[in-house]
Amino acid sequence: MEVGSQESGVRRRIHVASLLIAHCSALLLYSCGYQLAGTQTHIPGGVYSVSVGPFTNESREFGLDRTLRFAFEKEIFRRGILKVAENPASSEAILAGTIRTFTSYPVAFDTDDEAVRYEAELRIDVTLQRQSDGVILWKASGLEAIEEYSVVQALVVPSSSQFQRGTLDLDDLAKLTDIQLAETEKRLAIDRLVVTIVTDVHDRILDDF
């Protein structure tokens, strides 16, 4: 046999071995339950439809329970793995919980000791309960998300991902008073907190099964 043929045969055997190793490694990872967060499609407890709410609001932020409930419905619908039941009585499970706290406090100050940047924190408990027998399919306590926001125009960065995800544009920003800016930025921070929480809950529910 020529040397060239021998080398070609060796390369083919190495290539096949490499493919087998890669395939076996993938099977091993799958069998051990390794998955990217949010990619699991197992339906928890055999349910296919859920209704959202109620969420008890123990915070002082009025309307936060409605905001959270709507965000959960939107996330479940967007992901398309579970179905949001229009009639709660016909759903197979109920996703509900409690808003434990929403706090907002200053974390940065100017030379006059005036607050210029705040940190907002949202903490909730969540349960997924099957309606047919009352079994708690999944629950989590003390889930939290944290966001920072500015209350003076000079510290708002239009190129930041936070600003880009919001509904303000540069023209709107220039027209706001400091008080209006503070309230607007707080509301946008709440929206980001809620998105973080509902995405995390959806991923955890599926990944835990």
Side-chain angles (χ1 to χ4, degrees), residues 39-202:
T39 61
Q40 187 66 270
T41 58
H42 294 169
I43 306 299
V47 303
Y48 293 88
S49 64
V50 299
S51 58
V52 181
F55 276 85
T56 303
N57 188 5
E58 295 184 351
S59 77
R60 295 184 179 181
E61 188 65 27
F62 178 77
L64 187 52
D65 52 328
R66 291 194 299 271
T67 300
L68 188 65
R69 180 173 179 173
F70 176 75
F72 269 118
E73 291 177 346
K74 182 179 178 180
E75 180 70 7
I76 294 170
F77 178 80
R78 183 184 72 83
R79 302 288 282 274
I81 299 173
L82 295 169
K83 179 182 178 182
V84 179
E86 295 184 6
N87 181 5
S90 65
S91 69
E92 295 175 296
I94 297 177
L95 183 71
T98 302
I99 300 172
R100 292 299 181 190
T101 58
F102 170 78
T103 56
S104 178
Y105 46 86
V107 292
F109 302 84
D110 61 15
T111 55
D112 295 323
D113 207 29
E114 294 288 336
V116 296
R117 194 165 184 82
Y118 281 72
E119 187 170 271
E121 179 180 348
L122 175 63
R123 186 163 59 88
I124 70 170
D125 301 337
V126 188
T127 61
L128 180 68
Q129 183 177 28
R130 190 162 53 204
Q131 292 223 73
S132 61
D133 53 12
V135 170
I136 302 297
L137 301 175
W138 182 89
K139 67 177 181 179
S141 300
L143 293 176
E144 65 177 21
I146 298 174
E147 285 281 345
E148 288 191 3
Y149 63 96
S150 301
V151 295
V152 294
Q153 291 187 16
L155 293 181
V156 177
V157 182
S159 61
S160 67
S161 60
Q162 289 183 349
F163 189 87
Q164 296 296 326
R165 293 200 307 265
T167 56
L168 279 178
D169 57 32
L170 289 176
D171 291 335
D172 294 330
L173 180 62
K175 296 174 183 177
L176 295 178
T177 65
D178 286 345
I179 294 176
Q180 290 173 328
L181 176 63
E183 287 301 315
T184 301
E185 285 291 294
K186 177 184 175 182
R187 175 49 54 187
L188 293 174
I190 290 174
D191 291 343
R192 294 194 300 270
L193 289 170
V194 168
V195 168
T196 299
I197 286 283
V198 300
T199 303
D200 184 37
V201 168
H202 189 283

